Amino acid sequence: MHDSLIAGNYIHDLTGPAVTQGDGIEIKFGSYANIVRDNVIHDTAYPGITLYGVNGHGARNIIERNLVWHSGDNGIQADSDVIVRNNIVLGAAGAGFGANSPPRITAGKLDSVNNTRLHAQTDKINLSSAA
């Protein structure tokens, strides 16, 4: 997926016995030049927003002006090639913002500016194996 806009969505209640995945928004490895903007996401089993690396395909992804609360994992998880700005994350079970290094991806090329993270269960920001 590339050059797409995901905006203005209300995503909620992705928990419980009938839910098998539970990410609010998940954009897969190799996707590029996408914008995730102005979404309201709450009560998810996994991160509210998850993005992986662009795999050298194009411009970085952008996550901006989203409101995420009560995620069952990190509020926002973005592993590489992303700009994260002007988001609010409240009450994440993991970190407010997390960057990991799953297979094939080295965490890096991350900009995180003007975000608000409150009441995360672990770190407000957690960078694991970042380059």
Side-chain angles (χ1 to χ4, degrees):
M1 183 170 90
H2 61 87
D3 299 296
S4 298
L5 174 64
I6 300 169
N9 298 288
Y10 177 50
I11 301 168
H12 58 93
D13 298 313
L14 301 175
T15 60
V19 176
T20 58
Q21 183 62 25
D23 291 274
I25 296 171
E26 181 178 11
I27 298 179
K28 295 293 192 177
F29 181 66
S31 298
Y32 62 91
N34 299 294
I35 300 172
V36 179
R37 173 188 296 151
D38 299 328
N39 298 286
V40 175
I41 304 166
H42 68 88
D43 295 294
T44 60
Y46 292 145
I49 301 171
T50 305
L51 273 84
Y52 302 99
V54 303
N55 195 26
H57 290 292
R60 293 193 288 174
N61 295 299
I62 298 172
I63 302 172
E64 64 184 358
R65 300 189 323 238
N66 298 285
L67 173 60
V68 177
W69 76 90
H70 291 153
S71 64
D73 197 322
N74 297 326
I76 296 174
Q77 181 169 310
D79 298 317
S80 185
D81 308 311
V82 66
I83 299 167
V84 181
R85 61 185 174 213
N86 303 315
N87 298 283
I88 299 174
V89 177
L90 307 169
F97 172 73
N100 302 312
S101 289
R104 303 178 294 171
I105 301 171
T106 299
K109 298 180 189 163
L110 301 167
D111 289 336
S112 178
V113 290
N114 299 325
N115 297 289
T116 301
R117 300 171 188 95
L118 297 172
H119 303 293
Q121 293 297 315
T122 61
D123 303 312
K124 303 303 184 251
I125 298 174
N126 184 348
L127 304 177
S128 176
S129 301

